[in-house]
Amino acid sequence: MSTAPLALVLIPSAAWADDASAPGAESYQIVVYGRAIGQVGVATSGSQGVVGFADFEDRPIGRVGELAENVPGLIATQHSGSGKGNQYFLRGFNLDHGTDLAGYVDGAPINMRSHGHGQGYLDLNFLIPEMVERIDYTKGPYHAAEGDFSSAGTMRYTTKSRLARPFAEVTGGSFGYWRGLVAGSADLGDGTLLGALDATASNGPWVLDEHERKLIALIKYSAADWSLGLSGYTNSWVSTDQVPERAINLGLIPRNGFIDPDLGGRAGRVALTFNGQFGDTQVSAYAIGSRLQLTSNFTYFLDDPSNGDEFRQVDRRGVFGGSVRHVIKRDMLTWRFGADTRWDRIGKVGLYRTVAGTVVGTVREDRVDEFSGGLFGEAEFQLGPRVRFVAGLRGDAIGYNVRSDLAANADSGSAAIVSPKAALAWQPGKGVEFYANYGEGHHSNDVRGATVTVDPSDGTPVSQVAVFARSRGAELGTRLERGNFNFSLVGFWLNLESELVFVGDAGTTEPNDASCRYGTEAALFWHPVPGVTIDGTASWTHARFRGVAPGQDFIPGATPFVLGGGISAKLTTSITATARVRHFASAPLVEDNSKRSEATTLVNLGGYWEIARARIGLEVLNLFDASDPDISYWYASRLPGEPVDGIEDRHIHPVEPRQARLSVRFSF
């Protein structure tokens, strides 16, 4: 984290207009960003907060998805190529690519419903980290404004409206890593026009060159009470997916080796966003075009000993929608109302068999229209000078029309769900607040699972699944703010009625059991002396299936313990040094806990020298060259010459080895 004074910047409004300290306060106020921003008397839970650019400006990260790790207790990993969405872990959830973690950028949703690779697919690769102004986060289903995919948490990214100076930056590093970034802003008419262009080329640390080629562009115009943004992103890469440990142990491949050389993908995104704050009313609208083509092979020659098990997933869609929020404040009572709507126009979502990267057959191909609408309201009562009570209610509905290449799996329908919320906040003294929360929420399932009747791969009958999977949760928390010391501690409980999901890798549905999670989280932010910042987070979770046979209740991939933190020190007036550690514990890989993953610990260092208008940065990622797995799975696969039934084994994707990156920035 940066230890420089937290930046004073002009910001666009993003949330409630009745509180100047809340995320997205009155239009274009001068606001101090960062974790030092006070939450006592503003937040309604102990697990929500805000992270500003000043907090992660000097934080070394290896990939864009690690921006999400600014949310306390959250881990972002990768089991495939850099262009693919990350895998997220939070509160005992293996969130795959975002099933119960909601994400937004400038009011536009990131999660993709009924997606070709996985429900709720959450890909952050289109973000330019230097253009992110703040991240507002909540956890748990306690907040009426948050809808689909928010049971574990929600991240809302806001991009910058202006820069202090235009700049150009070049970064070079190990394994053929190169990145160039140019950005600037200027007054135009009654507002400010910001532009940024980001290009990356990398071969990666793998035996098989990753050959990533990424380009991102952002243009944003911000006026006094509204902003309009246009962003574009394209990426292509060759992928080294997870590999069986036996292949490494037998010397068939090195740890950073590959089994199938024809894997990889292409991704693209174009988004137009509008945000406006008109008095006590906030309005947002968006139009998004998204595409993904992903070729994978997880079992090699298990299902097809002759041609292999390689497959391709394709998703092409447009997403259109918006939201409106309004606040009415009356003495001891504040009303908040809102509505949002979304239409996913999915032109193609398909699963195909491939050989050597070439499509040879279709498992399933669909076109889907999915419409959703949400209404919410909440009332905040000031019961006394130090006590607040919030009661909220949210209703969501989804309508869908699935047109499938297999008529038996085509249908239309709708579903609705209502979710109550409640919160109590008590401030016994200055800078201290206690919270109690209850809420119900949900994630939607892939609507193709609600219309499927036969397995598209073999024609056998399958059961349909509900459109919504309900969650119920509660939380007790406390927050302490004393000058430069901020600390929060919460205990939480969360039940899911069912974790039914559509399995994009198979083209069918897979019913999972109900589950229960409880645990605790602690987060710290501290300036002990001028120029030094210390932050840390620790999270422990007990996660189990419910209603299953004894000894079969462990949830695969549910990491029980996460630890992260760091220290940043301003060594001189122009030199800043940062050290960070990230650890997540061993997790069960199967329901009886007989197979587990290895723990993973990484340490990163960063040094930054500012002189005149130049800034030089040196980052060392994975300082101690750990060879831990970035992610682990347990399942059966088959290599050439192995038994036809395959061999059950741990499959891992290792963390990237130690590497250095040098950046040079010049401001004009």
Side-chain angles (χ1 to χ4, degrees):
M1 285 192 176
S2 172
T3 57
L6 298 177
L8 294 176
V9 292
L10 291 169
I11 63 167
S13 55
W16 305 121
D18 63 308
D19 195 323
S21 300
E26 184 181 347
S27 301
Y28 286 88
Q29 294 187 68
I30 301 294
V31 173
V32 179
Y33 275 159
R35 284 181 175 154
I37 194 169
Q39 295 294 306
V40 170
V42 177
T44 56
S45 75
S47 57
Q48 72 183 92
V50 57
V51 181
F53 180 71
D55 294 324
F56 56 82
E57 179 181 14
D58 295 334
R59 177 173 181 160
I61 61 173
R63 51 200 173 210
V64 175
E66 291 174 17
L67 278 174
E69 294 187 357
N70 285 288
V71 176
L74 193 153
I75 293 291
T77 66
Q78 183 58 272
H79 73 98
S80 186
S82 297
K84 187 178 178 182
N86 291 88
Q87 195 129 349
Y88 304 96
F89 296 85
L90 178 67
R91 290 195 164 185
F93 279 91
N94 177 349
L95 295 165
D96 194 24
H97 297 287
T99 307
D100 285 284
L101 177 64
Y104 299 84
V105 173
D106 289 336
I110 309 173
N111 302 79
M112 294 295 166
R113 297 169 171 168
S114 303
H115 190 267
H117 183 62
Q119 176 68 348
Y121 185 71
L122 179 64
D123 183 4
L124 300 177
N125 278 300
F126 65 88
L127 285 174
I128 302 175
E130 293 83 353
M131 296 299 105
V132 174
E133 187 63 73
R134 65 187 287 163
I135 308 169
D136 296 281
Y137 63 87
T138 61
K139 298 178 188 175
Y142 324 123
H143 307 276
E146 310 301 348
D148 204 0
F149 305 119
S150 62
S151 293
T154 300
M155 310 176 292
R156 291 186 176 271
Y157 296 81
T158 301
T159 59
K160 294 181 178 180
S161 298
R162 65 169 67 231
L163 301 174
R165 285 193 180 96
F167 68 87
E169 179 174 294
V170 176
T171 303
S174 308
F175 310 115
Y177 180 89
W178 291 98
R179 178 179 182 236
L181 171 64
V182 292
S185 63
D187 294 335
L188 180 64
D190 295 328
T192 301
L193 181 66
L194 178 145
L197 185 65
D198 181 354
T200 300
S202 176
N203 290 329
W206 317 107
V207 171
L208 184 67
D209 280 353
E210 188 169 35
H211 201 70
E212 182 185 21
R213 299 294 184 264
K214 179 169 67 172
L215 183 66
I216 311 171
L218 171 67
I219 299 174
K220 184 177 181 180
Y221 184 79
S222 303
D225 52 9
W226 61 272
S227 68
L228 182 67
L230 176 64
S231 63
Y233 158 74
T234 182
N235 199 356
S236 63
W237 66 96
V238 175
S239 177
T240 296
D241 286 358
Q242 70 262 23
V243 296
E245 273 193 335
R246 65 184 183 277
I248 300 172
N249 296 335
L250 292 172
L252 301 178
I253 60 172
R255 194 170 179 84
N256 62 341
F258 63 94
I259 300 296
D260 189 332
D262 300 306
L263 312 182
R266 294 182 295 174
R269 184 183 189 271
V270 177
L272 180 67
T273 59
F274 172 83
N275 287 276
Q277 185 81 47
F278 308 107
D280 293 330
T281 302
Q282 178 195 347
V283 178
S284 69
Y286 56 85
I288 303 169
S290 173
R291 63 177 176 84
L292 177 70
Q293 176 181 297
L294 191 64
T295 304
S296 307
N297 188 349
F298 302 137
T299 53
Y300 320 120
F301 292 91
L302 179 64
D303 298 327
D304 188 339
S306 299
N307 299 311
D309 302 345
E310 193 178 281
F311 61 91
R312 176 170 296 171
Q313 297 160 312
V314 172
D315 190 282
R316 299 174 187 169
R317 71 178 64 205
V319 184
F320 312 92
S323 65
V324 60
R325 299 181 181 183
H326 184 68
V327 177
I328 302 175
K329 194 168 185 179
R330 295 287 186 271
D331 296 327
M332 308 296 285
L333 176 61
T334 299
W335 292 93
R336 302 184 182 96
F337 304 96
D340 53 67
T341 185
R342 173 174 171 173
W343 172 31
D344 287 69
R345 175 70 169 175
I346 307 174
K348 178 187 283 189
V349 53
L351 177 65
Y352 310 90
R353 298 184 184 92
T354 60
V355 176
T358 300
V359 173
V360 297
T362 299
V363 177
R364 178 168 186 170
E365 184 176 280
D366 306 293
R367 290 181 297 150
V368 180
D369 283 295
E370 186 168 351
F371 309 87
S372 69
L375 294 171
F376 72 88
E378 64 180 21
E380 180 174 324
F381 302 88
Q382 193 75 40
L383 301 182
R386 298 182 180 276
V387 180
R388 295 176 291 137
F389 176 71
V390 182
L393 189 67
R394 181 179 179 93
D396 290 274
I398 286 180
Y400 53 90
N401 182 20
V402 177
R403 299 174 296 283
S404 178
D405 61 344
L406 188 61
N409 289 336
D411 202 353
S412 60
S414 61
I417 191 170
V418 176
S419 306
K421 324 276 185 175
L424 182 67
W426 172 46
Q427 194 174 344
K430 184 178 179 181
V432 181
E433 196 160 43
F434 293 92
Y435 308 92
N437 301 86
Y438 173 81
E440 298 182 12
H442 69 275
H443 72 245
S444 63
N445 283 316
D446 191 315
V447 295
R448 292 176 295 168
T451 65
V452 67
T453 60
V454 297
D455 188 321
S457 62
D458 58 19
T460 58
V462 295
S463 300
Q464 296 179 347
V465 300
V467 173
F468 292 110
R470 183 182 295 275
S471 62
R472 293 182 175 87
E475 184 175 293
L476 295 175
T478 184
R479 190 188 306 270
L480 173 65
E481 297 175 352
R482 285 282 192 269
N484 293 324
F485 181 85
N486 291 355
F487 177 76
S488 63
L489 177 66
V490 301
F492 62 88
W493 159 82
L494 184 66
N495 271 10
L496 288 183
E497 286 184 350
S498 173
E499 297 189 18
L500 295 171
V501 296
F502 184 93
V503 183
D505 295 349
T508 185
T509 55
E510 177 181 287
N512 288 325
D513 298 292
S515 63
C516 178
R517 292 166 173 86
Y518 60 85
T520 184
E521 289 178 338
L524 166 72
F525 182 82
W526 184 28
H527 285 290
V529 295
V532 176
T533 301
I534 299 173
D535 75 283
T537 179
S539 175
W540 173 83
T541 305
H542 181 276
R544 296 290 189 271
F545 284 125
R546 294 184 293 130
V548 299
Q552 299 292 321
D553 58 349
F554 286 83
I555 301 176
T559 301
F561 181 70
V562 170
L563 178 69
I567 180 169
S568 185
K570 204 164 186 64
L571 305 180
T572 70
T573 56
S574 59
I575 298 178
T576 300
T578 301
R580 300 202 61 82
V581 62
R582 185 193 79 165
H583 170 83
F584 57 99
S586 169
L589 298 179
V590 293
E591 288 80 356
D592 65 4
N593 197 32
S594 61
K595 308 297 180 182
R596 297 183 63 89
S597 67
E598 297 178 15
T600 300
T601 304
L602 294 177
V603 175
N604 296 333
L605 290 184
Y608 310 93
W609 179 32
E610 297 185 28
I611 179 170
R613 293 191 176 184
R615 181 179 189 267
I616 299 173
L618 177 62
E619 297 179 343
V620 181
L621 307 174
N622 191 2
L623 176 67
F624 299 112
D625 202 23
S627 58
D628 302 335
D630 209 8
I631 198 163
S632 302
Y633 306 94
W634 182 271
Y635 58 84
S637 63
R638 181 179 181 271
L639 300 174
E642 291 184 335
V644 294
D645 292 333
I647 297 175
E648 290 195 338
D649 194 7
R650 185 183 289 107
H651 294 70
I652 66 166
H653 192 265
V655 297
E656 296 190 8
R658 180 171 51 229
Q659 54 190 288
R661 294 178 182 175
L662 178 68
S663 62
V664 179
R665 177 187 298 182
F666 183 78
S667 299
F668 305 102

